[in-house]
Amino acid sequence: MSVETRVITESEYPDWLRALCTGFLRPPVVSEEEAASRRAHVELTRVRGAFDDGRCVATYRSFAQQLTAVGGAALPANAVSNVTVSPTHRRRGLLSCLITADLAEAKERGDVVSTLIAAEYPIYGRYGYGPAAWITEWAIDVPRTGLDRRWSGPADGGRIDLADATDVRKLGPELHARLAARQPGVVSRDERWWQLNTGQAQLAAQPWTEPFYAVYRSASGEVEGLLAYQSDDNWGDAKQPLNTASVREMLALTPAAERALWHYVCSVDWITTVKSGYRAPDDLLPLLLPDPRAARILTQADFLWVRILDVVRALEARTYATSATLILDVHDGLGLAGGRFRLDVSPEGAVCTPSAESPDLALDVRELGALYLGDESAVRLAALGLVDERTPGAAGVADAVFRTPRRPWCPDVF
């Protein structure tokens, strides 16, 4: 029988989950309880699979999300996750069938962008996604930092308090919403996210370890930062502590909160190494240490990928720091967002309209996605042959238009 790709039925969901486990190299066993727990929080009309003789051999799911654009606007996004193809059915175009159908529906639904976290770099560019936000993870050699180990709290009048999961579920959503209103690249979190990430709800495939929680309050008592971390228990032969604290979450609305929370976790007794978790590549962390070389890079990689579905709405939604006009010729191999557009921007706003004028820049929708949150350079893309500069100097103008003083950051895997 030929392989069929389509939205799955209720009865096929357990088989879909087993195929998902197979693709992610997890044991392909899913209990009835776990299947029921997961099913309760999935919109089945957006769960797709490929079936060969009744067996699920590829998985795909999308869900509603909001993405923070430059300037704080929340864009309706089609978030893509759970993408696998079983090793017996690779290179047959199954992902192409699944993703093109989903993106067409997202376009029809009115989503402005689609987002995903790419497990492998080469896959998604051919569907119009570009790497829009990167991450860096550091390992901090605490004794080498030069921080005062006798530190007992912030000197700015703020304070750090330990908290529990119940506190986090009360304080966290508002803190995250305030961050999302200012940080490009942040994606929305629903109640289920807070349940799963505070242990209130648990999945068999993701064993839960309760972390330590710390909250930073400003001198006025306002919550401005949240830290979640866990520690191992490792001692050397001479009874010297060699423990590592791994940061699972660190949200900070102010530099004061960020400095205080990093200093706090680096001052915990017996901790000799702190792993930062995934941060923005221009995070304050290394340079706020007296010796920045105490922070060694563990990971530096692409993270959030963005696919533009509506060029006009996307470009008009974000803000710009300069005044300029660009004619963009956007190619889209899937026929969803291509065309020629005139973009007029100023600090007061932007207008994007279809245009018949000669283009200043010609680029694939993939590169537009990479530029969108302000992280990538059009000049660099032109040097790589990925942007065609039709008007001399236009790539430099595009950099002045799109790039931002601080890099975008997505705190969440999804």
Side-chain angles (χ1 to χ4, degrees):
M1 297 177 63
S2 61
V3 179
E4 179 186 17
T5 58
R6 54 174 171 77
V7 172
I8 71 170
T9 65
E10 185 86 32
S11 63
E12 291 169 333
Y13 186 66
D15 186 33
W16 184 91
L17 282 177
R18 286 188 287 272
L20 177 67
C21 291
T22 297
F24 285 144
L25 300 180
R26 298 196 294 257
V29 179
V30 180
S31 69
E32 291 183 5
E33 293 77 13
E34 181 170 359
S37 174
R38 288 178 176 268
R39 170 64 189 92
H41 300 279
V42 167
E43 188 177 343
L44 206 63
T45 58
R46 296 178 68 167
V47 179
R48 287 180 156 81
F51 294 85
D52 188 354
D53 197 18
R55 182 185 183 90
C56 187
V57 295
T59 63
Y60 182 100
R61 180 173 73 93
S62 67
F63 59 94
Q65 185 186 74
Q66 290 186 322
L67 170 69
T68 300
V70 177
L75 303 181
N78 177 68
V80 174
S81 187
N82 298 152
V83 179
T84 74
V85 177
S86 296
T88 53
H89 286 72
R90 299 168 66 242
R91 304 293 183 262
R92 301 191 190 184
L94 299 185
L95 173 57
S96 294
C97 293
L98 295 168
I99 198 169
T100 53
D102 180 64
L103 290 177
E105 287 188 3
K107 173 75 172 182
E108 181 67 23
R109 191 167 49 238
D111 291 335
V112 177
V113 297
S114 182
T115 59
L116 55 81
I117 308 295
E120 298 182 52
Y121 194 99
I123 296 175
Y124 294 99
R126 64 182 184 268
Y127 304 113
Y129 291 86
W134 292 59
I135 50 89
T136 302
E137 180 182 20
W138 287 272
I140 305 169
D141 183 351
V142 173
R144 185 180 171 182
T145 60
L147 292 171
D148 183 1
R149 295 286 288 178
R150 298 169 298 173
W151 184 83
S152 59
D156 59 2
R159 59 179 291 165
I160 293 176
D161 298 303
L162 291 176
D164 60 24
T166 301
D167 298 324
V168 171
R169 286 191 292 272
K170 291 177 181 177
L171 301 173
E174 181 183 356
L175 182 71
H176 180 267
R178 292 165 64 196
L179 178 71
R182 65 178 72 179
Q183 175 62 57
V186 169
V187 296
S188 53
R189 295 176 176 179
D190 58 14
E191 183 181 359
R192 178 67 169 172
W193 188 98
W194 291 100
Q195 292 173 348
L196 287 171
N197 286 273
T198 59
Q200 187 178 41
Q202 298 182 31
L203 300 174
Q206 301 169 1
W208 176 254
T209 300
E210 187 75 11
F212 303 98
Y213 298 105
V215 172
Y216 171 87
R217 289 180 169 86
S218 67
S220 64
E222 187 174 13
V223 174
E224 293 184 345
L226 171 65
L227 172 70
Y229 65 97
Q230 62 190 68
S231 175
D232 60 10
D233 186 15
N234 184 21
W235 290 74
D237 295 336
K239 290 195 67 178
Q240 293 297 314
L242 300 172
N243 298 298
T244 296
S246 298
V247 173
R248 288 167 47 167
E249 170 93 311
M250 209 278 268
L251 302 179
L253 298 183
T254 63
E258 192 169 354
R259 286 194 300 269
L261 289 172
W262 284 125
H263 202 159
Y264 164 78
V265 73
C266 287
S267 69
V268 175
D269 286 343
W270 300 351
I271 297 298
T272 59
T273 301
V274 172
K275 291 185 177 179
S276 70
Y278 292 164
R279 311 294 301 170
D282 63 345
D283 194 89
L284 300 182
L285 175 59
L287 295 181
L288 62 80
L289 304 175
D291 184 352
R293 292 185 184 179
R296 170 173 57 92
I297 291 177
L298 296 178
T299 304
Q300 185 155 315
D302 59 284
F303 196 64
L304 179 72
W305 290 57
V306 170
R307 205 273 188 216
I308 305 293
L309 294 172
D310 188 322
V311 172
V312 171
R313 290 171 65 200
L315 295 185
E316 289 186 345
R318 58 157 287 174
T319 59
Y320 303 87
T322 190
S323 297
T325 297
L326 283 170
I327 311 299
L328 304 174
D329 193 5
V330 180
H331 175 261
D332 186 345
L334 299 186
L336 298 173
R340 189 169 298 177
F341 303 90
R342 178 188 175 98
L343 176 63
D344 294 289
V345 304
S346 75
E348 286 72 46
V351 176
C352 184
T353 55
S355 174
E357 300 173 75
S358 298
D360 298 309
L361 293 176
L363 69 169
D364 193 271
V365 69
R366 174 185 62 241
E367 276 63 58
L368 186 60
L371 292 168
Y372 182 65
L373 294 179
D375 201 43
E376 188 51 87
S377 162
V379 170
R380 183 164 76 160
L381 293 178
L384 291 167
L386 298 174
V387 166
D388 183 8
E389 188 179 52
R390 303 286 180 83
T391 300
V397 174
D399 275 359
V401 166
F402 284 102
R403 301 205 78 178
T404 53
R406 294 293 300 274
R407 298 180 72 170
W409 175 51
C410 178
D412 297 335
V413 178
F414 57 89

